[in-house]
Amino acid sequence: QIYETDWTLIYAIAAHETGWFSSRLFKQQNNPGGIKSGSGWASYDNSFQGICEMTRLIKKSYIDKGLTTPEKMESKYCPDGSAWAKRVNSIMSELKNNEEAH
């Protein structure tokens, strides 16, 4: 586990944010979560660096503050009421089911 976080939570958020890792921002800049840098988007040398930075930020800004589930995170992470938590939970369930099957 990176930064003592649930890998399925991080993966599910990244998959949701990038359209299953197909977004231009992820493909060209290895940025899995719309991470900003200065006035633009952050770029990383590889996808692992991007995922590590996203994980660090989620741990610091959400998990360390008790926002440990998509439901608890939603009002801060995606406050527009877009069913973000439901989508992230769905991906997490899919990942956990696949993990159990193997």
Side-chain angles (χ1 to χ4, degrees), residues 11-84:
Y11 188 97
I13 293 171
H16 177 68
E17 295 297 325
T18 62
W20 286 98
F21 306 98
S22 65
S23 70
R24 180 199 59 76
L25 188 59
F26 182 73
K27 286 182 169 184
Q28 294 178 5
Q29 294 175 240
N30 297 303
N31 186 329
I35 301 165
K36 296 222 175 176
S37 176
S39 61
W41 303 110
S43 288
Y44 301 95
D45 291 338
N46 54 58
S47 58
F48 182 74
Q49 277 186 346
I51 292 288
C52 285
E53 180 60 8
M54 179 181 168
T55 303
R56 186 189 71 76
L57 291 169
I58 287 173
K59 172 110 169 68
K60 176 183 171 188
S61 300
Y62 298 88
I63 295 169
D64 288 350
K65 295 179 179 178
L67 307 174
T68 56
T69 65
E71 292 80 11
K72 291 177 181 178
M73 295 171 74
E74 185 172 51
S75 65
K76 181 177 178 184
Y77 192 97
C78 190
D80 67 2
S82 65
W84 177 87

Side-chain angles (χ1 to χ4, degrees), residues 1-7 10 48 51-53 55-56 59:
Q1 288 186 340
I2 302 172
Y3 297 108
E4 299 176 1
T5 60
D6 178 355
W7 74 270
I10 302 303
F48 182 74
I51 292 288
C52 285
E53 180 60 8
T55 303
R56 186 189 71 76
K59 172 110 169 68

